[in-house]
Amino acid sequence: MKNEPHIHGSVKFRSNLEIEEVGRIISEKIFSGLAFGGKEENIYEEIPAIYINNLMLGFQFVIQGFSGLEKSDGFSLDMIPYFSIKKTDKFKNTKSYDVNLNNYLYALLDTRLKGFSNIILEDPDI
C-alpha cells in the first residue's frame, strides 16, 4: 500500500493593520511578491479572508481573520492542501498520514518578519 502525507499548517498572529496590508507584507517577505486577493469573494462567509490565487505544489495559502491586538482578534495564515493522490485511479487505496507544519510556518514568519513590530506572532501549540 502506498502512503500519502496530508500536509497542512497554520500560524496565528495579531496586527492592527488591515488584512490587505498584512497580505502585502507577507506576500513580499514569504511568497516573492505573489499577491493575496479575493476578499470580495467571501470564501469564509463572515470572516474576512484573502488568498494567493496560484496553487503552489497543490497548496492554497489563505490569510483570514480580523485586525486588532486583543486576544479575541487576530489572523491566521493557513496552508491548505487542494490535491490528493487518492483522487487518481493509480492511488485509490492510498493510506494518509498527518504532516503538521505549524512550527515550520511559525519559524519562517518569525525569521522573515523581523523588524515588523506591527505583526505579532502567537506561539504555536506544541
Side-chain angles (χ1 to χ4, degrees):
M1 176 174 274
K2 302 226 184 265
N3 292 319
E4 175 185 25
H6 174 73
I7 304 169
H8 60 93
S10 184
V11 62
K12 294 179 182 181
F13 57 95
R14 289 177 277 121
S15 178
N16 274 333
L17 300 173
E18 295 299 319
I19 194 169
E20 295 87 353
E21 182 63 14
V22 168
R24 186 190 64 73
I25 292 168
I26 290 176
S27 169
E28 290 174 6
K29 294 295 182 182
I30 306 296
F31 297 104
S32 299
L34 283 173
F36 284 87
K39 183 178 177 184
E40 67 283 350
E41 295 176 31
N42 297 314
I43 62 172
Y44 292 142
E45 294 184 23
E46 297 179 13
I47 300 171
I50 55 178
Y51 63 95
I52 295 177
N53 198 25
N54 302 11
L55 291 180
M56 290 174 255
L57 294 174
F59 296 96
Q60 184 174 61
F61 291 87
V62 177
I63 296 173
Q64 64 172 315
F66 299 94
S67 297
L69 297 177
E70 300 298 321
K71 284 286 185 190
S72 61
D73 300 321
F75 296 105
S76 68
L77 170 65
D78 303 312
M79 178 181 169
I80 305 165
Y82 264 68
F83 178 78
S84 172
I85 64 173
K86 287 183 183 183
K87 294 178 182 176
T88 66
D89 288 337
K90 190 173 184 178
F91 297 102
K92 279 188 178 175
N93 295 323
T94 300
K95 183 177 143 187
S96 293
Y97 61 94
D98 190 57
V99 179
N100 183 314
L101 296 180
N102 292 358
N103 290 333
Y104 175 80
L105 288 175
Y106 174 86
L108 179 65
L109 264 68
D110 188 48
T111 300
R112 298 303 305 256
L113 295 177
K114 289 266 190 247
F116 285 91
S117 59
N118 49 6
I119 298 177
I120 302 164
L121 296 176
E122 293 184 20
D123 286 331
D125 296 330
I126 298 175

